[in-house]
Amino acid sequence: MKLYSRGQVLLYSLLSAVVVLLFAIGLGLIRLPTGTNEQASSTAAAPSSTGPSLELQESPKSKVPLLQTAEVNTYTADELENIKVYEQLNEGVVNITTETVAINWFLEPVPQSGGSGSGSIIDTRGYVLTNHHVIENAYKIFINLADGSQYEGKIVGTDPENDLAVIKFDPPRGVQLTTIPFGDSSNLKVGQKVLAIGNPFALERTLTVGIVSGLGRPIQTSSRTIIRDMIQTDASINPGNSGGPLLDAQGRMIGINTMIYSPSGGSIGIGFAVPVNTAKRVVAELIQYGKVRRGWIDATVVQLFPALVQYARLPVSQGLLVSRTRKGGFAERAGLRQGTEPVRYGSSIIYLGGDIITMVDGIKTTKLADLYSALEDNKPGDRVVVEINRGGKTMTLTVTLADREEVLATNQ
């Protein structure tokens, strides 16, 4: 056995104590006092003459100020704008549901659930603006308000060419309805913020936000008519949004949400709305007459097609051939010439040799749908400039318009 001197024992004991002390410090069992901690303790212990206060502290690493609770809960100016518009106007948007009639196996009429959509209350008497396709073929119409109440509505007037309709319900006496104010769609700019409120997938009064993505879009509806000057937006518009308002940042209606372009049926960022200026132009007539009175050229016209162009050796391949004019009518008095050579095409007779209409009111008329589009905003008695081709020469005439409904009824 090896013997150690007293000095060696003391040395080994001291080294062992140092090792144990370092190990305890490493484990955090013992903390050494520092000047920073003492200063912090002294600062914390020092009494404040102004009482307790909250001060922003900075992280020594990131140097990013820590936010107070009040600052975390504030909203941006843009968010406040959205919140204000929604809180003020969402109760002016209604949910519209319909019932239609089907025929069962026993040839009996049976009511069944129809479609659903949205609408805007535009008058405190209960007038609601929506899309025509929302209430098309409806046997019954139900209007659901924000407070959960439901009323049966009736159709006041429809305008299928602009996909617009006005319906009405009778609110109880004393009920104050929220109305959506009309704005102006003539000065819209691409990039302008817009908000859409509607009932997509029956989720009532949903708000979506986007911008005006495009202006003046001509869109063909399912009925083959063309709606001009549609507003394109990236605000989400899904099934159930149809008929709801498209609003500007001040909460004014600038459009009526109508359709989406989507292969899947859901929103992919391309929605379309009828400009509110179109609605303002037709709503008064819908309420007064139940329909929109439009002007028309009192003549029977035929859309050119290749076989007709080749057979008649026409000087142009696109346009509307004037087959007949009404005797003593506005078109005849304006100088529009009808055809003189009758030919049979299928079950109809076409008179060849008449003028070919190529432009009406500044819009090229290559097909019959163009004529409907050109005269959509014209009334009976209005005068329009008509460009024609007569024997290979281009001419212009000024034609007074007749009532379209009367002209088409006569031509049938």
Side-chain angles (χ1 to χ4, degrees):
M1 183 177 66
K2 186 176 180 179
L3 297 178
Y4 295 94
S5 65
R6 180 178 296 178
Q8 289 176 325
V9 171
L10 291 175
L11 178 60
Y12 291 146
S13 299
L14 181 60
L15 291 175
S16 299
V18 170
V19 171
V20 172
L21 180 61
L22 293 175
F23 184 74
I25 292 173
L27 292 177
L29 299 177
I30 298 176
R31 295 184 179 180
L32 298 177
T34 62
T36 304
N37 289 342
E38 290 175 359
Q39 183 178 0
S41 301
S42 174
T43 304
S48 173
S49 59
T50 59
S53 63
L54 293 176
E55 296 182 0
L56 292 179
Q57 301 290 325
E58 289 190 359
S59 167
K61 293 183 179 180
S62 63
K63 299 297 181 182
V64 176
L66 303 178
L67 298 179
Q68 297 181 13
T69 303
E71 292 176 313
V72 173
N73 291 336
T74 56
Y75 305 103
T76 66
D78 187 59
E79 290 172 333
L80 288 173
E81 197 171 60
N82 300 340
I83 293 169
K84 180 181 178 181
V85 170
Y86 181 80
E87 290 182 346
Q88 288 182 346
L89 299 176
N90 83 90
E91 293 184 357
V93 180
V94 301
N95 186 15
I96 300 172
T97 56
T98 63
E99 283 185 7
T100 58
V101 175
I103 304 299
N104 63 15
W105 289 100
F106 302 100
L107 301 180
E108 298 173 332
V110 178
Q112 64 180 10
S113 176
S116 66
S118 305
S120 301
I121 301 175
I122 57 175
D123 190 284
T124 55
R125 293 172 293 178
Y127 288 99
V128 175
L129 176 63
T130 186
N131 283 138
H132 170 260
H133 76 262
V134 171
I135 50 90
E136 189 175 12
N137 301 323
Y139 167 68
K140 285 187 177 181
I141 300 173
F142 299 100
I143 299 173
N144 307 280
L145 304 188
D147 60 4
S149 58
Q150 184 183 81
Y151 303 92
E152 187 168 348
K154 62 180 180 180
I155 298 175
V156 175
T158 62
D159 180 18
E161 290 182 33
N162 287 310
D163 199 7
L164 295 176
V166 175
I167 58 179
K168 187 182 185 302
F169 69 100
D170 296 319
R173 181 173 297 179
V175 173
Q176 186 65 35
L177 299 176
T178 300
T179 59
I180 308 295
F182 284 143
D184 184 4
S185 56
S186 63
N187 296 317
L188 297 179
K189 301 292 184 183
V190 173
Q192 179 177 339
K193 187 176 84 167
V194 291
L195 304 91
I197 302 178
N199 306 283
F201 307 110
L203 299 174
E204 295 188 355
R205 274 163 291 285
T206 297
L207 173 70
T208 55
V209 180
I211 62 170
V212 174
S213 304
L215 294 168
R217 304 297 196 202
I219 302 297
Q220 183 171 292
T221 66
S222 57
S223 60
R224 297 293 180 181
T225 59
I226 297 174
I227 306 178
R228 290 186 297 158
D229 299 327
M230 293 280 277
I231 303 168
Q232 179 185 332
T233 177
D234 68 346
S236 295
I237 297 176
N238 287 291
N241 273 108
S242 293
L246 186 68
L247 307 166
D248 63 14
Q250 285 72 46
R252 297 168 299 197
M253 187 194 307
I254 58 170
I256 298 87
N257 299 318
T258 299
M259 64 185 72
I260 59 172
Y261 175 78
S262 174
S264 64
S267 175
I268 56 172
I270 303 180
F272 297 95
V274 176
V276 75
N277 285 8
T278 300
K280 289 191 293 184
R281 175 166 50 81
V282 304
V283 161
E285 283 197 272
L286 292 180
I287 294 176
Q288 184 174 359
Y289 304 111
K291 61 182 180 180
V292 180
R293 298 169 62 247
R294 290 191 168 93
W296 198 249
I297 299 174
D298 51 350
T300 302
V301 297
V302 178
Q303 179 177 317
L304 298 186
F305 51 93
L308 179 61
V309 172
Q310 184 177 4
Y311 175 82
R313 297 179 180 179
L314 299 178
V316 293
S317 59
Q318 292 182 321
L320 304 175
L321 173 68
V322 179
S323 178
R324 305 299 281 170
T325 59
R326 188 167 61 175
K327 186 174 180 60
F330 295 122
E332 185 181 78
R333 281 183 274 172
L336 201 62
R337 292 185 183 178
Q338 65 180 5
T340 55
E341 179 188 347
V343 295
R344 180 174 293 278
Y345 181 76
S347 59
S348 60
I349 295 178
I350 301 174
Y351 290 83
L352 304 180
D355 293 333
I356 300 173
I357 299 174
T358 56
M359 183 176 294
V360 174
D361 203 20
I363 296 178
K364 290 184 177 180
T365 52
T366 59
K367 50 187 180 294
L368 192 58
D370 295 333
L371 184 60
Y372 279 90
S373 181
L375 298 178
E376 186 277 325
D377 57 351
N378 291 103
K379 303 299 178 188
D382 288 354
R383 294 164 61 87
V384 297
V385 176
V386 178
E387 183 180 279
I388 62 171
N389 187 290
R390 178 181 294 172
K393 296 181 180 180
T394 300
M395 303 174 58
T396 58
L397 303 172
T398 301
V399 180
T400 301
L401 300 177
D403 186 278
R404 187 173 79 183
E405 189 172 305
E406 295 177 3
V407 173
L408 296 182
T410 302
N411 291 342
Q412 289 180 350

